[in-house]
Amino acid sequence: SRSYNEYLISSLKDPERAAGYIAVMLELDEEGFEPELLRSGLKDVVDARIQMNDFSEEAKQRYERLDKMLLETKAAEIYSLMEFLDALGFRIAIAPKD
């Protein structure tokens, strides 16, 4: 039997599933936002792309910069934007590029 992590990474090779997974990681729950969940979710998607040999050097550099920012700021800018958009009656949608 495969571990859950292996199953998860395998399923995230599908762009629609990866987009949905990231969207869930961005959602506000009863306790607020969870920046560590966002970092973990992005890493899972990155791991899936690496397994597919679909992760360029440029993407790697951008991911490393983003991960460092998320670690340092706890994603404050991202969550502030989402809270502001929510107050205006909008939300961010994550979707694969065509």
Side-chain angles (χ1 to χ4, degrees):
S1 112
R2 294 183 345 181
S3 74
Y4 172 75
N5 191 55
E6 289 174 343
Y7 167 77
L8 175 64
I9 299 303
S10 177
S11 71
L12 294 176
K13 292 176 182 178
D14 177 318
E16 291 286 335
R17 287 181 183 235
Y21 187 68
I22 293 170
V24 167
M25 298 300 157
L26 286 169
E27 288 181 359
L28 173 67
D29 66 18
E30 301 82 39
E31 311 219 352
F33 295 110
E34 292 291 334
E36 284 304 313
L37 284 179
L38 178 58
R39 286 186 67 228
S40 176
L42 292 173
K43 182 174 182 336
D44 291 339
V45 172
V46 166
D47 289 346
R49 289 294 180 105
I50 288 170
Q51 281 188 8
M52 295 168 45
N53 292 321
D54 186 21
F55 197 64
S56 69
E57 186 61 33
E58 179 184 2
K60 178 183 176 192
Q61 290 172 359
R62 289 177 187 237
Y63 168 69
E64 288 171 353
R65 257 185 294 162
L66 175 62
D67 188 59
K68 182 179 177 184
M69 180 190 73
L70 293 175
L71 181 62
E72 291 172 356
T73 69
K74 305 233 182 287
E77 297 89 348
I78 294 170
Y79 291 128
S80 291
L81 172 63
M82 292 176 60
E83 289 172 331
F84 173 65
L85 292 174
D86 183 62
L88 293 175
F90 298 105
R91 66 183 172 129
I92 292 176
I94 308 294
K97 290 169 61 175
D98 291 330

